[in-house]
Amino acid sequence: MPPLDPTAWTCPAPLRDHPRVVMGHGGGGALSAELVEHVFAPAFGGETLAQMGDSASVSLGGARLAFSTDSFVVRPLFFPGGSIGDLAVNGTVNDLAMSGARAAYLSCGFILEEGVELSVLARVAQAFGAAARHAGVEVATGDTKVVEAGHGDGIFINTAGIGLIPAGVDLRPQRVVPGDVVIVSGAIGVHGVAIMSVREGLEFGVEIESDCAALGGLVEAVLAVTPDLHVLRDPTRGGLAASLNEIAAASGTGVVIQERNVPVPAPVANACAILGIDPMYVANEGKLVAFVPRAHGDAVLDAMRAHPLGRDAAVIGEVVDAHPGMVVARTGLGGTRVVDLPVGEQLPRIC
């Protein structure tokens, strides 16, 4: 047996001063934030980039546009409830929706590893096209690159999207104030657990399907009730915990959630217990979290529950003056725990 080499070990949550890129830098937690803060933001600069939202709000020719880009490296390519093709469309459509915009056009960049079967590529392309049509968005431009065998992992996809932000809609974390209610549109943790179940061949007694879906219609239904929402966020990498922490930090407010009110399906809770992970940190691909003025809370909740993608929506907490920049959870036993920003990545390659 060869001797152990500690220098070759890797960890999804490494030391914060790690000198090389690690998987945790792509996990949407503290390591991702540090990478943006210390590497990308200083290099790129600009007021628009400083918004740091799911999509940027830009003005062009008198119109307010939402503009976003995302890359998808999920493994495996096909999973219960979707595929990398569905994910690539819905992920970018949802990022635009978090600015209140309905996606209008998408770009599509395929990075293919030499040796990928054309039948597999065709399935992914068909899924991509079907998801775009379902979301009401047009694929307007694209690109294809091929890398040598062993220098990729089958298929990677990059998308960018643009959409029009309706007049009177201003969604950004700086608008969050104490007294706002926090609403989640449905059960959390489903996508990440679905990916892990097929990747690792785990059996949880019931098949768990990804919640991958385009949220543009749900956001439109809510905005039809009131455009005076303060912020929307789709809790993908880093899960609900990361989104809540990002909003608390950006708004300078505290967030208190009632843990028993957070909808976690029993199969997801059981799977997370087996895997030793917290559902709050597991990625979602068809859910959103909304910070809403208390006066509109009931109307927004009713509008969500009336939509197929929001029928399990729930009020999970509120914004407070205390502990600015921090998220705490009231447990079912009456205690309190801090819900911190994840450092690394519990479930890599889930989007």
Side-chain angles (χ1 to χ4, degrees):
M1 179 176 179
L4 295 178
D5 180 10
T7 63
W9 295 353
T10 60
C11 176
L15 296 175
R16 302 289 282 274
D17 61 352
H18 203 286
R20 298 179 186 274
V21 172
V22 294
M23 291 300 293
H25 283 119
L31 282 175
S32 294
E34 290 177 2
L35 198 66
V36 171
E37 179 182 357
H38 298 298
V39 177
F40 296 127
F44 303 155
E47 294 181 3
T48 303
L49 182 64
Q51 297 174 21
M52 295 298 177
D54 286 335
S55 61
S57 175
V58 298
S59 295
L60 188 65
R64 289 178 63 224
L65 300 176
F67 179 37
S68 184
T69 186
D70 207 342
S71 299
F72 300 87
V73 298
V74 66
R75 180 171 59 87
L77 298 176
F78 303 94
F79 47 85
S83 71
I84 191 173
D86 305 278
L87 200 59
V89 171
N90 294 337
T92 297
V93 165
N94 293 347
D95 284 347
L96 297 174
M98 298 307 103
S99 292
R102 169 61 78 108
Y105 299 101
L106 287 182
S107 71
C108 175
F110 274 75
I111 301 170
L112 310 175
E113 183 183 17
E114 182 183 23
V116 170
E117 295 182 7
L118 288 178
S119 60
V120 172
L121 176 59
R123 284 181 62 194
V124 172
Q126 289 292 331
F128 191 105
R133 289 187 291 273
H134 182 75
V137 60
E138 181 178 350
V139 181
T141 187
D143 181 53
T144 304
K145 293 292 188 296
V146 178
V147 299
E148 299 89 343
H151 291 261
D153 193 8
I155 299 174
F156 295 155
I157 302 177
N158 172 269
T159 55
I162 57 174
L164 187 67
I165 300 175
V169 174
D170 183 17
L171 300 175
R172 49 192 173 89
Q174 291 76 16
R175 296 193 64 213
V176 171
V177 295
D180 284 358
V181 295
V182 181
I183 302 175
V184 67
S185 64
I188 67 167
V190 182
H191 175 73
V193 171
I195 296 296
M196 285 301 293
S197 67
V198 293
R199 181 188 299 170
E200 305 301 335
L202 302 175
E203 297 288 344
F204 300 117
V206 61
E207 184 178 68
I208 301 174
E209 290 194 357
S210 170
D211 59 347
C212 185
L215 297 172
L218 176 62
V219 171
E220 285 187 350
V222 172
L223 291 176
V225 172
T226 174
D228 188 27
L229 307 180
H230 285 167
V231 69
L232 299 176
R233 192 66 57 91
D234 62 329
T236 54
R237 295 176 304 166
L240 181 60
S243 294
L244 294 176
N245 272 278
E246 290 167 1
I247 293 170
S251 63
T253 62
V255 176
V256 176
I257 64 171
Q258 301 297 325
E259 200 168 53
R260 65 175 59 188
N261 291 349
V262 179
V264 181
V268 170
N270 295 337
C272 287
I274 293 171
L275 296 170
I277 57 180
D278 186 336
M280 291 282 291
Y281 295 94
V282 179
N284 313 270
E285 288 295 345
K287 302 298 186 299
L288 63 81
V289 59
F291 283 60
V292 182
R294 186 172 296 276
H296 303 312
D298 290 341
V300 168
L301 183 64
D302 289 343
M304 283 191 185
R305 288 177 172 173
H307 191 278
L309 295 179
R311 58 179 177 269
D312 296 322
V315 175
I316 63 170
E318 63 179 340
V319 180
V320 297
D321 282 310
H323 50 77
M326 183 181 295
V327 179
V328 301
R330 308 290 190 202
T331 69
L333 298 176
T336 301
R337 69 180 181 97
V338 175
V339 181
D340 205 356
L341 188 68
V343 175
E345 186 167 31
Q346 297 187 82
L347 304 176
R349 301 282 300 276
I350 45 76
C351 64

